Amino acid sequence: MRGADTVAELVRRQWGDHRIGLRDEHHALTHHQVAAGAAARAALLVDLMPPVPGGEPHLGILLDNTPEYPLWLGAAALAGAAVAGINPTRRGAELARDIRHTACRVLVTQRAHLPLLDGLPLPGVRLLVTDTEAYEELLAPYGNARPGDAQLGPVRPESRFLLSFTSGSTGAPKAALCSQGRLAAAGSSLTTHFSVGPDDVHYICMPMFHGNAVIADWAPALAAGAGVALRARFSASRFLADVRRFDATYFTYVGRAVQYLLATPPTPEDRAHRLRLGFGTEAGAVDAARFRERFGVPLVEGYGSSEGGASIQRTPDTPTGAVGRAAPGDDLVVMDAETGRECEPARFSPTGVLLNASEAVGELVNRGRSTFEGYWRNPEAEAARLRSGWYWTGDLFYRDADGFLYFAGRTDDRLRVDSENLAAAMIEHILARWDRAAGVAVYAIPDPVAGDQVMAAIALRPGEVFDAAEFGAFLAAQGDLSTKMPPRFVRVMEELPLTATNKIARAVLRAAGFRSPDPTWWRPGPDTAYEPLTPTAITTLLATYSHHHRSPSYR
């Protein structure tokens, strides 16, 4: 299928296609019905957004993954409006800030989320509650609309389409801009890369307010004329049942979703499905191998931010642990942000230990063309991204002599231990090999004197207990675990705290430090065994921090 210049064109192509195009537990719509539903909502939207001075053609969507979500995405594309995906885990003033910051004139939501909006100051925002009779009555007069009948203005490739909030660990989320042309091109590129066709079914279980679900799942399905199946919210226990029910062939994941799937009890039907591919980030090589062995499905790790500033493509010769090489047109380098110089190529020992982490790990920078289109009303954030005319990703990588890039975490996940720079993701990938662990998070806590100490939070598999001696022996057996990497503190949890997009909420862990409500183990000295962190030991540690005028946690 030839490419399209806009998302609106892709929506129009669904007209007249009577194959099933959109499903969830309760609904099944043909591609034609999806296009018709989008056209009706576009016509309504045009009437709800008459031109006014200073009024932006923006609508917010505060929904679970219901059919209304892609229908309103299609409506916005046809009408020439832009969508701000609103995160339902935000609360109070923060939630109101997100809606007001993105200048939403219409907010589409559902009854389950109305308590979140109760009492919030949202002047000038028209509320549409989808699962109500009033909504159906409001939409009914537009039932005969056709794609292209109603537009707020010309729809072009450069037309603003998405305002995707980034999930930064500090400060208010930034709304990254994405045009219709960029999203259509991204969908087409993934369609080609993964050979997506009309007979595929994309299972969307990641939240659609996040760029991953829209850019990497919905857009390629739309570009290929493939079907879409929805799960309102991610559920590990229902994943395989959904995959079978919907005949799904493709899904995307973010963060720790793969670990939750692996933690479900194995069954003889684990491979009884049509699923052929999972595409996402942060699964880790160990969990990816376990997933393929159990479910027979390869996971392809990719890299590409919602901002569109840099992307990495995996090739068949990509080494284990690497993400891939720079995508065509990108000139990606690993830079030392402090010196402004390119980092050294990574050097490895025969057992795979990165020998020069301090010199090799740096920030990934795109010195070539960039599809970054900016942040909505945030020039300071744009300036931080575009320094010296280059795009700085905010992510840590290292690159080997052959040009393959390895993810090493976010810049704020860097640790400095005894004057050596470490990356949390590198340590996590090693600790994830421990067969008792269902999930691992590594983060920095302040050293009492200077720099950082390594702390790990470990969620155990069901029925497992933390055996300190066994864990210590496991660490000693890892040939690629350098002497600075073993965690001094280990917090044992039932489950790791996550953001709404299944990423680890590291800020929560860092703020607690070693003073947590969960059982915590530590090594009093570098060569000692792990032992329980007792109240007496905590008191002694706090006195040491106080003596050196240091805080025991990062907040």
Side-chain angles (χ1 to χ4, degrees):
M1 183 179 293
R2 67 175 180 82
D5 293 330
T6 63
V7 178
E9 182 180 343
L10 294 175
V11 175
R12 289 195 294 269
R13 287 180 183 178
Q14 295 181 296
W15 189 264
D17 185 343
H18 296 286
R19 297 174 302 118
I20 295 298
L22 178 63
R23 295 180 62 189
D24 71 352
E25 289 184 279
H26 310 291
H27 308 86
L29 303 177
T30 66
H31 288 284
H32 178 82
Q33 288 173 319
V34 171
R41 286 158 180 78
L44 170 60
L45 192 60
V46 169
D47 283 351
L48 293 179
M49 285 189 179
V52 295
E56 298 289 347
H58 294 179
L59 70 147
I61 301 183
L62 178 62
L63 292 171
D64 293 336
N65 288 2
T66 69
E68 288 288 345
Y69 210 121
L71 287 173
W72 275 102
L73 286 174
L78 294 173
V83 171
I86 305 300
N87 183 345
T89 67
R90 302 270 282 173
R91 294 292 184 271
E94 291 183 343
L95 178 61
R97 177 263 173 199
D98 292 349
I99 298 168
R100 294 198 305 267
H101 173 67
T102 46
C104 295
R105 296 172 62 187
V106 173
L107 180 65
V108 181
T109 190
Q110 61 197 79
R111 284 183 293 179
H113 291 327
L114 287 178
L116 302 178
L117 303 170
D118 189 31
L120 295 188
L122 299 172
V125 179
R126 173 69 181 265
L127 198 65
L128 300 182
V129 186
T130 58
D131 48 350
T132 62
E133 289 185 8
Y135 173 76
E136 295 298 331
E137 292 172 359
L138 188 66
L139 196 57
Y142 304 93
N144 293 324
R146 297 171 65 93
D149 281 355
Q151 294 180 340
L152 294 163
V155 177
R156 303 186 177 97
E158 62 271 20
S159 297
R160 189 184 310 138
F161 182 56
L162 296 179
L163 298 95
S164 296
F165 283 109
T166 61
S167 53
S169 59
T170 58
K174 303 179 290 293
L177 301 177
C178 179
S179 64
Q180 289 216 22
R182 180 159 80 84
L183 186 61
S188 177
S189 175
L190 288 171
T191 295
T192 300
H193 192 65
F194 294 130
S195 301
V196 179
D199 293 331
D200 279 297
V201 176
H202 286 211
Y203 177 54
I204 303 180
C205 55
M206 295 292 101
M208 292 194 74
F209 67 78
H210 188 259
N212 167 274
V214 174
I215 297 172
D217 218 343
W218 180 73
L222 192 65
V228 167
L230 300 174
R231 161 61 56 185
R233 298 182 183 181
F234 173 72
S235 170
S237 62
R238 298 179 182 178
F239 179 85
L240 276 181
D242 280 351
V243 164
R244 294 190 192 100
R245 174 193 303 168
F246 300 132
D247 249 1
T249 58
Y250 172 103
F251 78 105
T252 60
Y253 59 88
V254 175
R256 295 300 178 260
V258 168
Q259 291 181 347
Y260 282 109
L261 293 173
L262 289 170
T264 58
T267 72
E269 290 77 38
D270 279 347
R271 292 188 172 217
H273 53 72
R274 288 183 62 224
L275 202 61
R276 64 180 179 86
L277 178 68
F279 176 52
T281 61
E282 301 181 33
V286 172
D287 285 336
R290 290 173 177 167
F291 196 88
R292 184 165 193 165
E293 179 181 357
R294 176 173 166 184
F295 299 109
V297 180
L299 299 183
V300 178
E301 287 281 296
Y303 177 82
S305 62
S306 300
E307 291 94 331
S311 60
I312 299 172
Q313 289 187 354
R314 188 175 184 86
T315 54
D317 58 340
T318 299
T320 300
V323 180
R325 286 192 174 105
D330 285 358
D331 179 14
L332 302 185
V333 292
V334 179
M335 301 289 290
D336 185 320
E338 294 181 2
T339 66
R341 297 175 181 173
E342 190 170 348
C343 294
E344 296 180 6
R347 291 184 286 105
F348 302 95
S349 74
T351 58
V353 177
L354 179 61
L355 298 175
N356 60 334
S358 291
E359 296 77 25
V361 175
E363 187 170 350
L364 186 69
V365 177
N366 188 359
R367 299 186 303 192
R369 64 156 179 80
S370 169
T371 58
F372 177 57
E373 295 174 313
Y375 294 114
W376 174 252
R377 292 180 177 172
N378 198 332
E380 295 83 6
E382 284 188 27
R385 280 278 181 255
L386 300 173
R387 305 196 302 273
S388 303
W390 301 339
Y391 180 84
W392 296 70
T393 66
D395 290 321
L396 298 174
F397 276 79
Y398 52 99
R399 183 165 62 175
D400 66 20
D402 295 320
F404 289 102
L405 292 156
Y406 298 71
F407 180 68
R410 297 285 300 172
T411 52
D412 58 2
D413 292 335
R414 183 194 290 269
L415 301 84
R416 190 162 180 82
V417 179
D418 295 338
S419 299
E420 182 175 327
N421 292 324
L422 304 175
M426 296 170 61
I427 306 173
E428 286 176 355
H429 292 162
I430 297 171
L431 300 189
R433 299 169 189 160
W434 193 38
D435 56 10
R436 291 182 184 242
V440 177
V442 171
Y443 48 100
I445 65 169
D447 181 89
V449 179
D452 304 317
Q453 293 185 351
V454 181
M455 185 163 182
I458 297 180
L460 298 176
R461 297 185 183 280
E464 297 286 0
V465 296
F466 183 78
D467 185 313
E470 180 188 299
F471 182 68
F474 160 78
L475 294 179
Q478 306 310 303
D480 53 350
L481 189 73
S482 74
T483 58
K484 307 297 184 185
M485 288 182 175
R488 189 181 188 197
F489 298 91
V490 179
R491 177 178 176 179
V492 181
M493 311 179 69
E494 289 188 4
E495 56 184 27
L496 299 176
L498 300 177
T499 67
T501 55
N502 289 306
K503 295 183 178 180
I504 295 172
R506 297 180 194 277
V508 174
L509 296 171
R510 282 193 291 259
F514 54 73
R515 293 177 293 180
S516 77
D518 300 301
T520 300
W521 299 71
W522 77 310
R523 297 187 308 166
D527 299 318
T528 61
Y530 285 99
E531 61 183 54
L533 182 63
T534 64
T536 300
I538 291 176
T539 300
T540 301
L541 279 168
L542 293 177
T544 305
Y545 280 95
S546 178
H547 177 74
H548 292 282
H549 305 287
R550 296 269 287 175
S551 169
S553 64
Y554 289 121
R555 296 184 180 274

